[in-house]
Amino acid sequence: MPSLRSRLVAEGFGTFGLAFIGCAVVVVNGGFPNSGVGLIGIALAHALVLAVAITATMNISGGHINPAVTIGLLSVGRVTLSTAIAYIIAQLAGAVLGAFLVQALFPAEIVQQAMLGVPSLAGNLSVGNAIGIEIVLTFFLMAAVFGTAVSPTAPKVGGFGIGLVLVFDILVGGPLTGGVMNPSRAFGPALVGRHWDHQIVWWVGPIVGAVLAAQLWERVIMKTVDEGSGR
C-alpha cells in the first residue's frame, strides 16, 4: 500500500482538479453567455474531471475525492477513522486551492458575478427538500462507487462509471441544489469567496446519501452476491 503521505497528496490533487474545473466552468458559463457551456457543459465538465481524477488516484488512495464517499466507506469499516480524517482534510485543502486559483486567474468581475461557482438553492426550494435531493443524488453516486470500484466483481472501467453519474445528477439537481454530492466542492469556493449560505445542505445531504448507499451495498447487495457464489 502507498504511504499515507502519497495517498493524501493523491486525494488533495484529485479534489483540487474537481474544484478548479468545477468552479471554472461555472464562472465561464456565467461570465461568458455566448460560451455555449450551459447546464450540459457544466455536467460534462464535472463528470469528466471526476472520472479522470478517480482513475488517476484509484490505485494510490482509492480515489475517494469526496468527504462523503470517505465517510460512507468509514461507516462500513473499509477505512479507519484516522485515515478518514486525514483524507477529508486533504480533500478540503485541495478544494480550497482549486477555488483560490480560479479566483486568482479569472477576471474578478465574472468571478464575483458567478460567486466563484459556489452552489446555491433554487428560490422556491426549502432547505429540507434540498437536503433530500442531495441525499438521493449522492446515493446514486455512492452506489456507482461500490458497483464499479469496491465490489470484487466490479467491471474494470476505472473511474468513468462513477464520473458518468455526475452527468444525470447535475442535469437533474443542478438547477435546484447545484447537484453537488460532495462537501468539498461546496466548501472550497465558499471559504475563498466567503459565500456560506446553506452549507448544511452540501454536508448533510451527501453524507447521509453516501452512508445509506454504503450500508445497502455492504450489508445487502454484496452480501447476497457472495452468498450466491458460495463464498
Side-chain angles (χ1 to χ4, degrees):
M1 176 183 290
S3 67
L4 179 60
R5 182 175 66 177
S6 296
R7 287 180 281 151
L8 296 181
V9 170
E11 286 295 310
F13 162 77
T15 318
F16 159 77
L18 176 64
F20 180 83
I21 297 299
C23 292
V25 73
V26 173
V27 169
V28 169
N29 180 68
F32 300 96
N34 296 324
S35 64
V37 174
L39 182 60
I40 293 177
I42 292 172
L44 286 174
H46 281 83
L48 291 172
V49 69
L50 181 64
V52 172
I54 291 175
T55 301
T57 61
M58 186 176 289
N59 291 330
I60 302 171
S61 65
H64 296 192
I65 321 298
N66 185 335
V69 169
T70 298
I71 292 171
L73 293 171
L74 173 66
S75 75
V76 293
R78 289 191 173 267
V79 295
T80 64
L81 178 59
S82 60
T83 296
I85 292 172
Y87 271 34
I88 291 169
I89 293 172
Q91 292 157 358
L92 295 178
V96 170
L97 177 59
F100 175 78
L101 284 182
V102 171
Q103 184 181 64
L105 298 175
F106 285 65
E109 60 273 15
I110 69 169
V111 169
Q112 184 176 3
Q113 180 181 342
M115 294 175 56
L116 192 55
V118 176
S120 60
L121 302 188
N124 58 348
L125 193 68
S126 71
V127 169
N129 286 347
I131 289 174
I133 290 169
E134 286 288 325
I135 288 173
V136 175
L137 298 180
T138 314
F139 184 92
F140 289 132
L141 177 66
M142 194 65 180
V145 170
F146 269 82
T148 66
V150 176
S151 172
T153 60
K156 305 302 181 183
V157 294
F160 287 88
I162 301 168
L164 284 174
V165 175
L166 267 64
V167 176
F168 59 78
D169 269 5
I170 292 176
L171 289 177
V172 172
L176 301 173
T177 66
V180 176
M181 301 159 280
N182 187 331
S184 68
R185 172 61 183 83
F187 176 83
L191 180 65
V192 175
R194 300 179 183 178
H195 300 292
W196 291 105
D197 290 349
H198 306 122
Q199 277 288 305
I200 189 173
V201 170
W202 302 295
W203 282 90
V204 174
I207 289 172
V208 172
V211 169
L212 289 175
Q215 294 294 327
L216 176 66
W217 276 82
E218 186 77 22
R219 310 299 181 193
V220 180
I221 296 176
M222 285 172 41
K223 184 176 180 181
T224 302
V225 170
D226 288 344
E227 290 173 349
S229 63
R231 295 178 185 175

